[in-house]
Amino acid sequence: VYFGFAGNQDPGRNVVPTFVYVFFWAMIPLLSAVLGDVFRPFNPWRAVGLGSSWLRARVAPGRHHAPARFAYPEKLGLWPALLGLFAFGWLELVAGEDGREPKLLATLMLVYLAFQLVGMAMFGPRRWLERGDAFGVYFEFFSRIAPLTVVKRALHARVPLSGLTDITSIAGTVVFICT
């Protein structure tokens, strides 16, 4: 975000467009398909949301985590994640040169952060991250291809592609995958 605002605004001379479109958008799905869900432990929105929930729970002693303000509506399903994925796809493929402007990308990172924080505050970090975080959901689908998975904090080998067989279909799942 800092380099998007303070750095050189020429997309060819700023690290932000390269980071967003090459590392984040292209490399993380590839790494996820080979190594499993590599994004989850490094997801900055997850860290902020879970950290905030933990801190809020400390204000109310006796709780291990802060409760969600609202129950996540089942009919909402993956539609918030789909909206984010579609918007990012539009930015990359339709916006043209404007979609590579460092200041615009930095601004959109902050907008996305705000969207994630509101979702996590309303529905709880864990539920929101598994259904509303476009990138977390997107990369998690790629991780289902991988021959490695983590179950109860232990690394396990599995047959490649076998993780695709246990996708739970909720509202918006098919449209998300098609997108």
Side-chain angles (χ1 to χ4, degrees), residues 58-149:
R58 294 307 164 261
V59 174
R63 295 184 185 169
H64 294 291
H65 60 84
R69 299 218 186 276
F70 304 103
Y72 190 89
E74 290 303 314
K75 64 183 176 185
L76 197 55
L78 294 180
W79 290 104
L82 172 72
L83 177 65
L85 185 65
F86 184 81
F88 188 82
W90 182 88
L91 179 70
E92 179 192 20
L93 301 172
V94 179
E97 293 296 318
D98 294 338
R100 289 188 281 280
E101 290 182 15
K103 196 173 283 189
L104 173 66
L105 290 171
T107 301
L108 291 175
M109 286 181 216
L110 293 175
V111 168
Y112 191 76
L113 172 63
F115 185 68
Q116 294 307 300
L117 292 176
V118 168
M120 287 186 276
M122 289 176 59
F123 303 114
R126 295 187 194 289
R127 177 61 76 181
W128 180 259
L129 289 166
E130 71 183 26
R131 298 197 177 177
D133 177 11
F135 300 111
V137 172
Y138 179 70
F139 298 141
E140 194 270 335
F141 273 113
F142 277 97
S143 76
R144 292 171 173 274
I145 297 170
L148 300 172
T149 187

Side-chain angles (χ1 to χ4, degrees), residues 25-72:
W25 189 239
M27 291 303 295
I28 293 180
L30 179 62
L31 290 171
S32 295
V34 174
L35 301 173
D37 197 354
V38 297
F39 181 66
R40 183 184 172 110
F42 301 104
N43 181 342
W45 306 289
R46 182 176 184 266
V48 170
L50 292 176
S52 298
S53 177
W54 177 86
L55 188 60
R56 196 173 98 205
R58 294 307 164 261
V59 174
R63 295 184 185 169
H64 294 291
H65 60 84
R69 299 218 186 276
F70 304 103
Y72 190 89

